[in-house]
Amino acid sequence: MLLEANMKNSIGKIAVFGDIMIDSYWIGSTNRISPESPVPVVNINHTENRLGGAANVALNISKMECPVTLSGLVGVDGNAKELQELCHQHHITTQFVAEASFPTIKKLRIISRQQHIVRCDFEEAPDLTPALTAKITQSLKTTIDENDLIVLSDYNKGFLSDPQALIQHARAQGKFVIIDPKGDDFSKYRGASLLTPNTSEFEIVAGKCRDEAELFAKAEKLRIELDLEALLITRSEKGMTLFERDKEPVTFSAKAQDVFDVTGAGDTVIAMIATQLAKGTPLPQACKIANIAASIVVGKMGASYVTQEELDYELGQSDRPHNLVLSKEALLHEVKRAKMNNETIVMTNGCFDLLHRGHVKYLEEASKLGHHLIVALNSDASVKRLKGDLRPIMDEKSRATVLASLSSVAWVTLFDEDTPEALIREVLPDVLVKGSDYRVEEIAGADAVINNGGRVELIDFVDGYSTSSAIEKIIASQQ
């Protein structure tokens, strides 16, 4: 791929062309129904304007520290000024086309209790005369000449009325062209380097697919018909599948994730691919990273972006032997994120040597007390100090991996001290859990949890099960 060869020693400049808009959010509380009609009354206490549409693509690129230029159609109005100011704040170079007869597009979302109540769109189809279209196309060709990689973010609002002229101009210079398509006719995108439809957009053009084999066949057929270097179909919970010329299809599995809002996820995908290619990353690896970035952004409210720190953290997650076994620093990061979403953190601790039915039942009961259960696990050195030189039977890595495999457990972390009190004081869970053979005043860290507004729960163990008795049976059987 020519772009990859050119970008080995520098970061390429990216141009984003497309339909730009303001995403406005009005957020408030809802406590009653209107007496005028059966609709909720939202008491607005927070408002926020964000970059939307193609501008959100540019925002995602800028957050990856890549130089980016944004071109799109705006009106001559206050919303256009707001867009300009937001782009300036986020270090996005702008080359807007201003048209007095066209109001800048704005989408207003009213949200209460993390739910969308209604969306109000303020937009009109632009009246693009042949002269204005020619002017826009010529301006965009000049921008293509000044950049290394081109992204077309088509929201079907009219700005990309002649994508063929842009594709041909960029491809003639050997520049990579990525397109997020819209509509029922993809022939206008012929010759692009990469097309990134989601499943529903793909099936509008290619037809319904009864199974994966049919989807693969139709995808390759479409890629050939449109003379694309590659076609990437984003498939929601099924991940993404990449179809490249002269290569076998590759599917990138979706990461299990609580989906808060899918708004702008496609923007993040196309922006991340562009960014990675501009840094010299091969296309399959760029798609893999984009897949991870999408899993981050759907956990946020509204059109948003992924930071380099968030991406680095998630990429680091995939390098661990088990992605639920966390260092203390990574655990605190997850806890902070969960608390921001008002999710309840439950925590327990122990050696968990030779996991048995009693352990499993105990952890299942503990997990019912909140959204996420943390198991603080004694390290091998800690177990030896508490249980003697013959323990643990299973090493810390094995114990941690087995615990993390239980559906009841969210995260496992190791501690080396005799008790997890210092760790508990840092995590400050909402609920601290121990066995009913303890009294609250005996539990390490209980005072810190209670003083922070949390509580301590005692859970009964299943009679007849203990690690010590299991070890005794094993020793007896060998004598």
Side-chain angles (χ1 to χ4, degrees), residues 375-478:
V375 177
L377 185 66
N378 293 75
S379 68
D380 288 350
S382 176
V383 175
K384 284 186 184 299
R385 291 195 300 271
L386 296 172
K387 304 286 187 179
D389 289 339
L390 296 179
R391 300 282 297 274
I393 303 299
M394 303 297 293
D395 64 79
E396 61 190 39
K397 183 177 179 181
S398 298
R399 290 182 288 125
T401 302
V402 171
L403 281 169
S405 299
L406 297 177
S407 60
S408 57
V409 176
W411 305 301
V412 178
T413 193
L414 289 158
F415 66 94
D416 202 41
E417 299 80 12
D418 290 347
T419 77
E421 182 168 0
L423 179 63
I424 290 170
R425 290 184 179 278
E426 288 195 71
V427 172
L428 289 176
D430 302 290
V431 185
L432 182 63
V433 178
K434 286 295 286 184
S436 58
D437 53 338
Y438 281 85
R439 292 181 300 176
V440 172
E441 57 269 22
E442 298 173 337
I443 299 172
D447 59 333
V449 172
I450 293 170
N451 291 337
N452 192 54
R455 70 183 194 273
V456 177
E457 294 280 348
L458 303 180
I459 295 178
D460 292 335
F461 285 111
V462 178
D463 290 337
Y465 291 90
S466 78
T467 300
S468 296
S469 62
I471 293 172
E472 289 173 2
K473 288 181 181 180
I474 294 170
I475 293 173
S477 69
Q478 293 177 341

Side-chain angles (χ1 to χ4, degrees), residues 318-332:
S318 63
D319 293 335
R320 286 197 299 272
H322 195 293
N323 64 357
L324 301 180
V325 181
L326 307 181
S327 66
K328 184 182 76 172
E329 292 73 21
L331 174 67
L332 294 175

Side-chain angles (χ1 to χ4, degrees), residues 1 4 171 176-179 181 186 189 191-197 219-220 222-224 226-233 241-248 273 277 283-284 287:
M1 189 178 295
E4 293 173 12
R171 298 298 288 142
F176 204 85
V177 179
I178 308 174
I179 303 179
F186 285 1
Y189 307 122
S193 308
L194 173 67
L195 215 60
T196 65
E220 182 59 19
L222 182 67
R223 190 199 64 74
I224 293 171
L226 297 182
D227 191 27
L228 306 173
E229 283 193 31
L231 172 68
L232 178 71
I233 302 177
T241 302
L242 176 66
F243 302 86
E244 277 191 280
R245 181 179 293 157
D246 301 325
K247 295 182 181 179
E248 290 296 315
I273 293 172
L277 291 178
L283 180 57
C287 292

Side-chain angles (χ1 to χ4, degrees), residues 348-366:
T348 191
N349 67 278
C351 301
F352 295 98
D353 200 7
L354 294 185
L355 199 69
H356 53 68
R357 178 172 175 261
H359 289 141
V360 173
K361 183 65 175 176
Y362 170 81
L363 294 172
E364 286 176 350
E365 292 301 314

